[in-house]
Amino acid sequence: MKINFLLNGKETEIEIEPDRRVIDLLREECGLTGSKECCGAGECGACTILVDGESRLSCLMLAAQLEGREVITIEGLAKDGCFHVVQQAFVDYGAVQCGFCTPGMILAAVDLLRRNPTPSREQIREGISGNICRCTGYQKIVDAVYFASLALQGVN
Amino acid sequence: MMEIFFPDSLDELWAIMSANPGGAVMAGGTDLLVRIRKTGRKPPALFCLERIDELKQIRENEKVIFIGAYVTHQRLLENLTVQKRLRALWDAVSVLGSPPVRHSGTIGGNLCTASPAGDTLPPLYVFGAEVDIRSKSNKRSVSVAEFITGPGRTSLHSGEIVTRVSIPLPAPGTISRYYKAGKRKAMAITVASMAVQAKKDENGIIELIKLAWGSAGATVVTLPEAEEFLRGHTLSEERLRQAGKLVSAGVTPIDDIRGSAAYRRMVAGNLLLRLAHEN
Ligand SMILES: Cc1cc2nc3c(=O)[nH]c(=O)nc-3n(C[C@H](O)[C@H](O)[C@H](O)COP(=O)(O)OP(=O)(O)OC[C@H]3O[C@@H](n4cnc5c(N)ncnc54)[C@H](O)[C@@H]3O)c2cc1C
Ligand code: FES
Ligand code: FES
């Protein structure tokens, strides 16, 4: 089956079995290995992507569901060689250790800031509650998202 | 390989369903796709509801809100009527899964999964929700209590789907809440939960009270004797504690990896005490 969708801003047409999972489509057919698979069951958030702007789990979506949709993966977040504000904040606040959770965590944070541009620390915790990190202990991730929200509001 | 269909309308859905016997309906897929992967049992076809606009509508009049089966938990969370007048349902979707699960998961899927831990079910019980069901040739409505027939079982016949849930809007002055006890705050399957809808008179005496417990039996548990015990009284801690004893004795939970039956009985009773702190 041919499916057409917008992948990180590029019109994409791909021939694929309709019941392949989106995580497999991205990693194996498109070579985009930023999205990770860990649990394969919705529990860990490592495979988080944005579909029409909303965070979705690519291990729980089928290729055919992407027809006509707009997909953003971690590879599509930087613009013109510059990190997205949230990516930069993760670097600046040391929110990355092994990095396995990072792509999903960053996209979850982008989704949260779209829904709520001025989150409290508690709301940030809730916003990333579907993403598991086994390294950082979350404090630095919460810091990074908090400072990214200030940067996006133009507060320095 | 599973064939995957995206009908644009119910008429198209009926045609596709009759041409592909043995297929399964898919809404957000957060239960179905997990189950297919775990069991390895792939239905020959999936009928995706995501492009049928009729199933995504939320409409209301002064008395009732009609929620389409394909309304996601996120949309319920953002709906002002749900926020203001159906607080127990709002509480439930705010603790259901995680943001991406709420972006995909739907109210129809939560109902049809019929898990004893399904978070929207106890609120739908206390609000007296009706489930609207359709098939190619038939339309019917049943109460949510009639709809859920056992753990993982519903009264849906083959060829039928849930099209919407109708919830009577509580009278002004009615409060409702949903309390969930889980192993941790987010992404935790319920150990025990309770929904309440209550109305007090000007002296704080309970005129109306509806209670329902999740994860406390094979399906949602209701205990008319506990409601009866509280009606006509103020919600003093003492009265609630006594009612809690009735609850602990009345619920029928199971032992599993998330908690023993004895622990669930205790939690189910103790959740009532939270009412002492609501006004
Ligand atoms: C990580 C994770 C966390 C979760 N946490 C929670 C939680 O905290 N609380 C909770 O209650 N649930 C939780 N769930 C379960 C699930 O997300 C919810 O039950 C959700 O509401 C299911 O909706 P869905 O649209 O994804 O259903 P689907 O998976 O699409 O469908 C579920 C079942 O219902 C049938 N179905 C769906 N819609 C219809 C319809 N309109 N008519 C007829 N049949 C239909 C399908 O055939 C299938 O059998 C969680 C799931 C995951 C993966
Ligand atoms: S791999 Fe998708 S949520 Fe864990
Ligand atoms: S940085 Fe290693 S899992 Fe989060």
Side-chain angles (χ1 to χ4, degrees), chain A residues 95-102 132-136 141:
Chain A
V96 181
Q97 285 189 31
C98 80
F100 193 84
C101 70
T102 310
I132 291 176
C133 175
R134 288 284 93 127
C135 303
T136 64
I141 294 176

Short mmCIF file of all heavy atoms in Angstrom, two decimals, chain A residues 95-102 132-136 141, ligand 3:
data_model
loop_
_atom_site.label_atom_id
_atom_site.label_comp_id
_atom_site.label_asym_id
_atom_site.label_seq_id
_atom_site.Cartn_x
_atom_site.Cartn_y
_atom_site.Cartn_z
N ALA A 95 20.15 17.72 30.89
CA ALA A 95 19.00 16.83 31.05
C ALA A 95 19.17 15.51 30.28
O ALA A 95 18.24 14.74 30.18
CB ALA A 95 17.73 17.54 30.59
N VAL A 96 20.36 15.30 29.73
CA VAL A 96 20.61 14.10 28.93
C VAL A 96 21.73 13.30 29.57
O VAL A 96 22.80 13.86 29.85
CB VAL A 96 21.04 14.47 27.49
CG1 VAL A 96 21.26 13.21 26.67
CG2 VAL A 96 20.01 15.40 26.84
N GLN A 97 21.49 12.03 29.82
CA GLN A 97 22.64 11.18 30.20
C GLN A 97 22.85 10.14 29.09
O GLN A 97 23.54 10.42 28.13
CB GLN A 97 22.42 10.57 31.58
CG GLN A 97 22.66 11.63 32.66
CD GLN A 97 22.67 11.05 34.05
OE1 GLN A 97 23.07 9.92 34.27
NE2 GLN A 97 22.24 11.83 35.02
N CYS A 98 22.22 8.96 29.17
CA CYS A 98 22.45 7.99 28.08
C CYS A 98 21.77 8.44 26.81
O CYS A 98 22.16 8.06 25.72
CB CYS A 98 21.98 6.60 28.48
SG CYS A 98 20.20 6.38 28.32
N GLY A 99 20.69 9.23 26.95
CA GLY A 99 20.03 9.79 25.78
C GLY A 99 18.91 8.94 25.19
O GLY A 99 18.24 9.37 24.26
N PHE A 100 18.68 7.77 25.75
CA PHE A 100 17.67 6.88 25.15
C PHE A 100 16.26 7.48 25.23
O PHE A 100 15.49 7.39 24.30
CB PHE A 100 17.71 5.51 25.82
CG PHE A 100 16.93 4.47 25.08
CD1 PHE A 100 17.50 3.78 24.01
CD2 PHE A 100 15.61 4.18 25.42
CE1 PHE A 100 16.78 2.82 23.30
CE2 PHE A 100 14.88 3.23 24.71
CZ PHE A 100 15.47 2.55 23.65
N CYS A 101 15.95 8.10 26.37
CA CYS A 101 14.60 8.65 26.54
C CYS A 101 14.47 10.02 25.91
O CYS A 101 13.36 10.56 25.80
CB CYS A 101 14.28 8.79 28.03
SG CYS A 101 15.25 10.10 28.85
N THR A 102 15.60 10.64 25.54
CA THR A 102 15.61 12.06 25.22
C THR A 102 14.71 12.46 24.04
O THR A 102 13.94 13.42 24.17
CB THR A 102 17.06 12.55 24.98
OG1 THR A 102 17.87 12.10 26.09
CG2 THR A 102 17.13 14.05 24.89
N ILE A 132 9.51 7.55 30.51
CA ILE A 132 10.36 7.03 31.58
C ILE A 132 11.81 7.34 31.28
O ILE A 132 12.28 7.18 30.16
CB ILE A 132 10.14 5.50 31.72
CG1 ILE A 132 8.73 5.25 32.26
CG2 ILE A 132 11.19 4.88 32.63
CD1 ILE A 132 8.37 3.79 32.35
N CYS A 133 12.54 7.81 32.30
CA CYS A 133 13.98 8.03 32.19
C CYS A 133 14.65 7.20 33.27
O CYS A 133 14.28 7.31 34.44
CB CYS A 133 14.34 9.49 32.38
SG CYS A 133 16.12 9.74 32.38
N ARG A 134 15.60 6.38 32.90
CA ARG A 134 16.26 5.52 33.88
C ARG A 134 17.56 6.13 34.39
O ARG A 134 18.26 5.53 35.18
CB ARG A 134 16.56 4.14 33.27
CG ARG A 134 15.33 3.29 33.06
CD ARG A 134 14.81 2.69 34.37
NE ARG A 134 13.81 3.52 34.98
CZ ARG A 134 12.61 3.13 35.36
NH1 ARG A 134 12.23 1.89 35.19
NH2 ARG A 134 11.78 3.96 35.94
N CYS A 135 17.94 7.33 33.90
CA CYS A 135 19.24 7.87 34.27
C CYS A 135 19.18 9.12 35.15
O CYS A 135 19.84 9.20 36.16
CB CYS A 135 20.04 8.26 33.03
SG CYS A 135 20.31 6.93 31.86
N THR A 136 18.41 10.10 34.71
CA THR A 136 18.62 11.45 35.24
C THR A 136 17.94 11.72 36.57
O THR A 136 18.27 12.72 37.23
CB THR A 136 18.06 12.52 34.27
OG1 THR A 136 16.64 12.33 34.18
CG2 THR A 136 18.68 12.39 32.90
N ILE A 141 15.56 17.27 33.87
CA ILE A 141 14.60 17.34 32.75
C ILE A 141 13.53 18.38 33.07
O ILE A 141 13.19 19.23 32.24
CB ILE A 141 13.98 15.96 32.49
CG1 ILE A 141 15.06 14.98 32.00
CG2 ILE A 141 12.84 16.07 31.48
CD1 ILE A 141 14.59 13.55 31.79
S1 FES C 3 18.91 9.78 29.90
FE1 FES C 3 19.07 7.62 29.99
S2 FES C 3 17.00 7.04 30.05
FE2 FES C 3 16.87 9.15 30.23
#
